[in-house]
Amino acid sequence: MPFLSRVSTALLLVTVNWQAARGADPLLKHFPEAANSGCMKCHAGIELIREPDSQMMQQIMERGRELGDPAGCVVCHGGNPNETEDKVVAHGGEDATDFYPAPGSPWINQHTCGQCHQKHVDVQWTSLMMTEAGKIQGVCWAFGSMTGYKHRWANYAVQNPDDPQARLGTEEYRQYMEQLKQIEPNVFVDSHEPLPDALNVDELERLQEDTTLAAFTYIRQECQRCHHAVKGRQTRGDFRGIGCSSCHTPYSNEGFYEGGDPTIDKSATGHMLVHSIQGTREAKVTVHDTTYSGIPVETCTTCHDRGKRIGVSFQGLMETPYHSPFAADGGPQPALHTKHYIAMEQDVHYQKGMTCQDCHTSIDVHSDGFLAAANLASVQIECADCHGTPDKYPWELPLGFMDEFAMKPAEGTPRGVAEEQLPHTLQGHVHEPRDGYLRTARGNPYENVVRDGDEVIVHTAAGKDLKLKPLKKLIEEEAISERGLVAMQGVSKHLDRMECYTCHSSWTPQCYGCHVKIDYSQKDKCPECNESMEGFDWVAAGRKHEEPEHQSDRGEKGYDTIIPGKVFEQRSYLRWEEPMLGINGEGRVTPLAPGCQPSVTIIGEDGKPILLNHIYTTDPGLERSEEGQLAIDMSPTQPHTTTKNARTCESCHASRKALGLGIPGTRPWDEQHIVDLETVEGKILPDKYQPQMEPVKNLSHDWSQIVDEQGNQVATVGHHFQLSRAFNRAEQLHISREGTCLACHQEIPDGSLAVSFLHHVAQYTGQLPTTNEQHSGLVHKIMMMSAWLQFVVALAIPVLVIVAVRRWRRGKRTT
């Protein structure tokens, strides 16, 4: 080795040792020969992409040597590892298409990640995280059911493979999914068309004739920033990668790089935290002096902080319009995902150290290669898959239990356990199956969840091995509370018709009334306007990546995908406690939360309103309405706020809100409200006043009401699946126990002689109940006495009849 080269290598190793002392885990520390790569002239100190003794790292280094790069960088990034002077040449040249700054990008990852993970790359375009077809259909629904129940559009044109056997999963799973496709053909579609373009500046006059065209501006600017084909909004809490790197590279909420590569500006945001891959239990990531494995929940909440807000809810964060409490410097609470939060109870799984990937399978997130256009369609897991039921272990349940898409529980032979993982998951951590891998409701192996006798072990990606006892074993060991036994066994219909999380969700974010303003004011058409209203089109940005010269771009910075119109959003009010209930697409009782509930205001290019506080209606005949239903949706949801303690019986059976009858207290929304000096008759005294609240003209009830007391639905409930709906009249009557207290207290203290006597005896002897426990004991005592009395009477009557008949016959013989 020439002297200067040896000196250069020595200096690199000094840099590496310094970085290692600071807590980074540099590549050169473990692979000194990498110093001979031209890449290391600039990037010395960069940390390992995987731990040094991992099979993946060994394969990268071996492949790197084959490509002439002892550092292995070109395996993922391409470029020229022999160039040490000219950065442009090292990165492939001026017009390079084979240099990949963001190797996880779906636009080029067939050349990078796909070298080893071809199946995952193949299915990425059918993933719901890529198509976002459910979100698109939801907004179109809110703008007047533009596509009805059909999930017509996605971010990009995509279609299913021709061969049904191309679907990843077991044969039972494939058959199961074909059955679901027959049940819900509008969700399990064969193809998606590309989302239409938003209006350009020269087309804005079309809004005068068709205001629903504004939906495409709303979707493209506000809703689609999270799909995997773009890097997305780069603000606090939203920093992430693109494609595979959206999940598999760590980004902090602040977006700073804290690794050892000296070429990366550590004062600039938008960079990964360290140059390492996160994923399964085997993939260890070192940040300073801490090593972890798995994908942190905060990676998922980069996107899952809007809509149903399941990511932040899982963490115990509830959105609030207030900026308190104040920060350490006396300023407002810092915005996270552009929002502010209050701390709520965290999901019990989160508290136990589980992350999203410990429940959600590879197929849930990556896709099985076939289109599923809504969350409920793409997720294959149910609570009972691990916890079972009071009378059956998970392996004793039939396939489809709690995933029926029907109005009765699934029946069939026990699902058993699986002996092997799915082949495409074997590159991840392979757990010892013990007595077999549990199976999901749809028939695939649950690869990190195994049976161990009558217990279950959940192997988490973070390295924990959590042992749980299924419900059946807990009941055998008398470890379930009386309240739990009553709810699950005493009222067995609960488990036949309800989701477990209907009772076990401790809170649900409820954001009532989404007031959307889309302002198309253009300064050349609006004299009062200082600037034209415009925004960034995320779908157009994604499609720009399709162009050869932009396929390798690491993000969308500098893209000219600006479209006219700017979106503003406000809420009517927020709640978190005890959500209302309804029926979801699986036919089960579920929590409901506001989905897309827009009251739309559209400002034309001249700065004047075209539409003001308008709620669209669905087409006639949809959602159980001949005239068309208000297109403000109450969406079935899994809140991801599970706790051991369930909501109380009263919170459902004595709650008008739970039945869907709404939250009382608001005045009519379809009336104008004026606040000023007025007479007691309501006459406004000044001539100069302005309305405080303009009407939402076709909203005659509260945002929270979805059904009236006659069982007529007054808003939409879910817009993806056929079975989702509000409770009908018969179900309302069956559930409601409102006013039950009157059944007793209408006679107390002196409504009848017997009650008056007992009441006064109890009063003067100090036996009147004063606590809930005493009251419950009294009611139980009365019920038992009444039951035994009626039982004795019912038993005594036939005995007395028999005795009387015998005496009569005996008497007749003697005469």
Side-chain angles (χ1 to χ4, degrees), residues 508-566:
T508 302
Q510 301 155 61
C511 182
Y512 292 101
C514 184
H515 298 266
V516 177
K517 181 172 77 171
I518 308 173
D519 189 346
Y520 291 97
S521 298
Q522 302 297 304
K523 64 179 180 181
D524 60 334
K525 300 290 181 67
C526 173
E528 299 84 12
C529 300
N530 296 321
E531 60 180 355
S532 295
M533 292 295 174
E534 58 188 18
F536 194 82
D537 184 338
W538 290 105
V539 179
R543 293 177 186 176
K544 195 174 184 70
H545 280 293
E546 290 185 280
E547 301 170 9
E549 63 269 30
H550 293 292
Q551 285 186 345
S552 298
D553 292 352
R554 68 172 75 237
E556 297 73 49
K557 186 176 181 179
Y559 279 13
D560 59 354
T561 55
I562 305 297
I563 55 175
K566 187 171 183 178

Side-chain angles (χ1 to χ4, degrees), residues 74 186 284 296 387 487 728:
V74 299
N186 286 322
K284 308 295 184 183
H387 294 281
N728 58 38

Side-chain angles (χ1 to χ4, degrees), residues 141-386:
W141 179 268
F143 275 73
S145 64
M146 297 167 65
T147 62
Y149 293 114
K150 187 174 181 182
H151 295 67
R152 176 181 176 184
W153 293 316
N155 290 318
Y156 312 97
V158 61
Q159 64 182 30
N160 287 336
D162 294 329
D163 181 9
Q165 292 299 310
R167 188 190 295 271
L168 299 179
T170 65
E171 186 57 36
E172 283 180 297
Y173 172 76
R174 294 189 189 101
Q175 294 174 6
Y176 187 96
M177 296 306 291
E178 284 299 314
Q179 292 173 4
L180 290 188
K181 180 176 173 59
Q182 298 302 314
I183 295 171
E184 292 285 359
N186 286 322
V187 179
F188 297 96
V189 296
D190 290 320
S191 63
H192 290 308
E193 301 172 29
L195 179 69
D197 291 338
L199 294 175
N200 60 42
V201 173
D202 298 330
E203 297 175 308
L204 294 181
E205 70 278 359
R206 294 175 61 189
L207 289 167
Q208 300 290 341
E209 300 296 327
D210 185 3
T211 57
T212 65
L213 293 171
F216 300 120
T217 301
Y218 186 38
I219 293 170
R220 286 169 167 267
Q221 287 189 16
E222 202 66 22
C223 305
Q224 306 307 95
R225 64 175 174 80
C226 276
H227 73 280
H228 280 327
V230 295
K231 194 173 183 181
R233 183 175 66 189
Q234 298 291 287
T235 55
R236 185 173 186 268
D238 297 334
F239 296 109
R240 62 172 175 87
I242 180 174
C244 303
S245 303
S246 300
C247 303
H248 289 287
T249 53
Y251 281 73
S252 75
N253 281 340
E254 308 302 332
F256 293 109
Y257 175 66
E258 298 182 18
D261 188 336
T263 69
I264 300 178
D265 185 354
K266 294 180 176 58
S267 64
T269 60
H271 297 292
M272 64 177 69
L273 181 62
V274 290
H275 176 260
S276 298
I277 289 177
Q278 60 187 20
T280 66
R281 176 182 284 211
E282 288 181 341
K284 308 295 184 183
V285 178
T286 298
V287 181
H288 304 306
D289 58 352
T290 301
T291 298
Y292 74 91
S293 62
I295 299 175
V297 172
E298 192 59 34
T299 296
C300 303
T301 59
T302 300
C303 289
H304 293 279
D305 59 78
R306 186 176 161 89
K308 294 181 180 178
R309 297 163 171 80
I310 56 175
V312 285
S313 295
F314 187 65
Q315 293 177 294
L317 296 174
M318 166 71 186
E319 182 181 334
T320 175
Y322 308 113
H323 298 181
S324 57
F326 297 113
D329 62 358
Q333 179 193 133
L336 180 67
H337 317 300
T338 71
K339 306 173 184 72
H340 301 87
Y341 293 93
I342 55 177
M344 301 289 293
E345 186 172 10
Q346 297 168 321
D347 190 291
V348 67
H349 302 89
Y350 184 87
Q351 295 181 48
K352 291 289 185 180
M354 295 176 66
T355 62
C356 307
Q357 72 186 110
D358 294 322
C359 288
H360 289 288
T361 66
S362 175
I363 281 178
D364 282 5
V365 293
H366 293 115
S367 166
D368 61 9
F370 283 67
L371 295 166
N375 289 342
L376 201 65
S378 62
V379 174
Q380 63 171 323
I381 59 170
E382 298 290 343
C383 303
D385 293 352
C386 291

Side-chain angles (χ1 to χ4, degrees), residues 399-569:
L399 291 180
F401 186 75
M402 289 193 165
D403 190 55
E404 291 89 357
F405 290 87
M407 294 300 291
K408 60 180 182 179
E411 298 177 345
T413 58
R415 67 179 68 169
V417 294
E419 300 301 324
E420 297 179 344
Q421 293 189 197
L422 294 175
H424 75 283
T425 68
L426 293 173
Q427 289 173 307
H429 191 86
V430 178
H431 297 281
E432 172 62 41
R434 297 197 180 224
D435 296 323
Y437 299 106
L438 268 60
R439 302 180 71 194
T440 69
R442 297 182 180 178
N444 281 326
Y446 215 152
E447 284 126 341
N448 64 309
V449 185
V450 300
R451 177 182 177 182
D452 184 23
D454 289 339
E455 297 182 339
V456 172
I457 299 175
V458 179
H459 298 293
T460 74
K464 292 188 174 185
D465 301 308
L466 302 176
K467 181 169 283 192
L468 69 87
K469 296 179 180 181
L471 284 170
K472 183 175 179 179
K473 187 172 184 66
L474 289 173
I475 286 176
E476 289 172 352
E477 295 179 356
E478 298 183 353
I480 300 291
S481 68
E482 182 179 55
R483 184 175 156 205
L485 291 174
V486 170
M488 292 185 291
Q489 286 187 312
V491 189
S492 59
K493 196 171 184 179
H494 281 162
L495 284 179
D496 287 344
R497 289 296 316 281
M498 296 173 66
E499 301 283 8
C500 300
Y501 51 80
T502 304
C503 292
H504 283 280
S505 295
S506 61
W507 61 278
T508 302
Q510 301 155 61
C511 182
Y512 292 101
C514 184
H515 298 266
V516 177
K517 181 172 77 171
I518 308 173
D519 189 346
Y520 291 97
S521 298
Q522 302 297 304
K523 64 179 180 181
D524 60 334
K525 300 290 181 67
C526 173
E528 299 84 12
C529 300
N530 296 321
E531 60 180 355
S532 295
M533 292 295 174
E534 58 188 18
F536 194 82
D537 184 338
W538 290 105
V539 179
R543 293 177 186 176
K544 195 174 184 70
H545 280 293
E546 290 185 280
E547 301 170 9
E549 63 269 30
H550 293 292
Q551 285 186 345
S552 298
D553 292 352
R554 68 172 75 237
E556 297 73 49
K557 186 176 181 179
Y559 279 13
D560 59 354
T561 55
I562 305 297
I563 55 175
K566 187 171 183 178
V567 177
F568 301 87
E569 290 181 318

